[in-house]
Amino acid sequence: MKKILVTGGTGFIGSHTVVELQNKGYEVVIADNLSNSSENVIDNIFKITGKKPAFGKVDVAEKDQFFKFLSQHSGIESIIHFAASKAVGESVQQPLKYYRNNINGMINVLEAMKEFNIPNLVFSSSCTVYGQPEKLPVTEQSPIQPALSPYGNTKQINEEIIHDFLSVNQGLHCIALRYFNPVGAHPSSLIGELPLGVPANLVPFITQTAAGIRECLSVFGNDYNTPDGTPIRDYIDIIDLANAHIAAINRMEENKQKSSLEFFNIGTGRGLSVLELIKTFEEATGVKLNYKIVGRRAGDIEKVWADTSYANKELGWKAVVPLKETLLNAWKWQQKLADN
Ligand code: UD1
């Protein structure tokens, strides 16, 4: 059984990826400092898969504890690195927290690959590196634009750090997955997104509004240059996203890479406006959503969606879950949370 280290494995994307890895026969080791998640997630992963991942409450950004943990888990062949701070607004307020956590964590992961002979890495990057692309859909060749937040900047800087490191370390490989907007929850409603406080992202805000936790959803601007005036994004199901990581691991295991560092867009290829997403949510769940149009949110991109043809062809991966199913899963998860 191949052993994989998943940093940040109890988080939203991490936990769903752990489930899919275990379902495909991988042995999973999680390092997570639980800064934005809970250890209960491990029990719920076990309820879904019948397998308990090894777990350490470990801060990947702290080299001593991270390396100590790794020295206790031999035979790791690949790392999927999720552990990072991810709130865009908070990153503007506390830039050093983001640079310290996200950059140190990345450096430690790369040093660990060398120190512990771990050849393969999947890095969780973001479509935020493209900024507002000139041409849509956006391909992997689109130019990188100046980051709009310290959070976004850490994704760009980390891509560069990986590039520089791999160019002088033969035999080590990385696939950076540039996620579009991950949404949804596991169909079992045992794991999902657990936003701290008031959600900044659209779908958790929608489900909390539908559940009556929030009074009203604010739609940030309807004066954009889009058909209905609201911004357009590419919303991708969390299970589809999780499976992209397995495709990336397989590609490296089979040595199918064209270069030591590759980038892939992980989206559906379909752009949806905020109003279209709200409508789809209402249709999928039968719940009428209370919303109002307010002013634009600073830093928001007008429109972005993925050209996924390169990922489809090279990774042999494709997003397949219909959006209605995704939104229904997000809603079921929210209802389950409210019951507890
Ligand atoms: C943001 C970040 C992105 C990050 C992602 C996940 C920016 C520019 N991008 O993406 O880097 O990877 O979060 O954390 O900050 N919206 C509303 N009302 C709400 C919330 C959102 O109308 O209450 C709208 C937004 O204006 C946007 C869309 O919904 O048009 C999606 O927003 P969100 O879920 O926050 O994701 P992004 O802004 O696309």
Side-chain angles (χ1 to χ4, degrees), residues 94-124:
Q94 301 179 51
L96 297 187
K97 172 179 170 185
Y98 277 68
Y99 289 116
R100 179 176 289 126
N101 192 26
N102 295 5
I103 308 288
N104 283 353
M106 186 78 252
I107 293 171
N108 291 342
V109 164
L110 294 172
E111 283 184 337
M113 290 173 79
K114 205 168 167 175
E115 177 79 18
F116 296 94
N117 291 316
I118 304 171
N120 303 327
L121 170 67
V122 181
F123 172 57
S124 49

Side-chain angles (χ1 to χ4, degrees), residues 5 267 313 323:
L5 171 70
K313 177 167 168 273
L323 183 63

Side-chain angles (χ1 to χ4, degrees), residues 254-275:
E254 291 164 14
N255 280 319
K256 284 188 178 157
Q257 282 198 295
K258 292 190 164 51
S259 59
S260 62
L261 172 58
E262 289 185 318
F263 302 94
F264 291 101
N265 284 344
I266 304 300
T268 65
R270 182 165 164 238
L272 222 76
S273 75
V274 176
L275 292 180

Side-chain angles (χ1 to χ4, degrees), residues 56-281:
K57 186 169 182 300
V58 169
D59 189 340
V60 174
E62 297 288 341
K63 187 173 171 181
D64 290 350
Q65 48 174 286
F66 181 42
F67 272 38
K68 188 172 169 216
F69 179 74
L70 281 171
S71 64
Q72 294 157 354
H73 293 275
S74 57
I76 292 169
E77 291 180 21
S78 303
I79 302 178
I80 306 181
H81 179 44
F82 294 110
S85 304
K86 62 164 189 178
V88 177
E90 184 190 56
S91 81
V92 175
Q93 298 305 320
Q94 301 179 51
L96 297 187
K97 172 179 170 185
Y98 277 68
Y99 289 116
R100 179 176 289 126
N101 192 26
N102 295 5
I103 308 288
N104 283 353
M106 186 78 252
I107 293 171
N108 291 342
V109 164
L110 294 172
E111 283 184 337
M113 290 173 79
K114 205 168 167 175
E115 177 79 18
F116 296 94
N117 291 316
I118 304 171
N120 303 327
L121 170 67
V122 181
F123 172 57
S124 49
S125 191
S126 165
C127 72
T128 191
V129 302
Y130 300 120
Q132 175 58 66
E134 271 175 33
K135 282 196 215 128
L136 287 163
V138 62
T139 71
E140 289 82 356
Q141 272 72 50
S142 299
I144 303 298
Q145 306 229 32
L148 289 169
S149 69
Y151 158 78
N153 207 18
T154 64
K155 293 294 176 193
Q156 292 191 8
I157 294 169
N158 279 345
E159 286 191 356
E160 289 169 4
I161 293 175
I162 296 168
H163 171 270
D164 293 349
F165 179 76
L166 293 186
S167 65
V168 290
N169 283 283
Q170 280 208 336
L172 303 184
H173 308 278
C174 175
I175 291 180
L177 300 179
R178 291 175 175 157
Y179 311 146
F180 284 66
N181 287 54
V183 292
H186 196 267
S188 65
S189 303
L190 285 164
I191 53 172
E193 199 167 359
L194 280 168
L196 275 183
V198 182
N201 297 114
L202 180 61
V203 169
F205 205 104
I206 286 179
T207 56
Q208 289 197 6
T209 306
I213 301 169
R214 313 279 158 208
E215 209 170 299
C216 183
L217 165 74
S218 295
V219 174
F220 298 138
N222 67 348
D223 57 350
Y224 286 95
N225 182 23
T226 61
D228 66 22
T230 63
I232 294 178
R233 297 286 185 275
D234 185 333
Y235 296 94
I236 171 151
D237 185 86
I238 190 68
I239 310 283
D240 279 335
L241 181 71
N243 279 317
H245 297 79
I246 286 131
I249 293 282
N250 287 342
R251 182 172 173 85
M252 288 186 284
E253 283 173 352
E254 291 164 14
N255 280 319
K256 284 188 178 157
Q257 282 198 295
K258 292 190 164 51
S259 59
S260 62
L261 172 58
E262 289 185 318
F263 302 94
F264 291 101
N265 284 344
I266 304 300
T268 65
R270 182 165 164 238
L272 222 76
S273 75
V274 176
L275 292 180
E276 284 174 320
L277 187 95
I278 291 172
K279 189 161 165 270
T280 312
F281 178 83

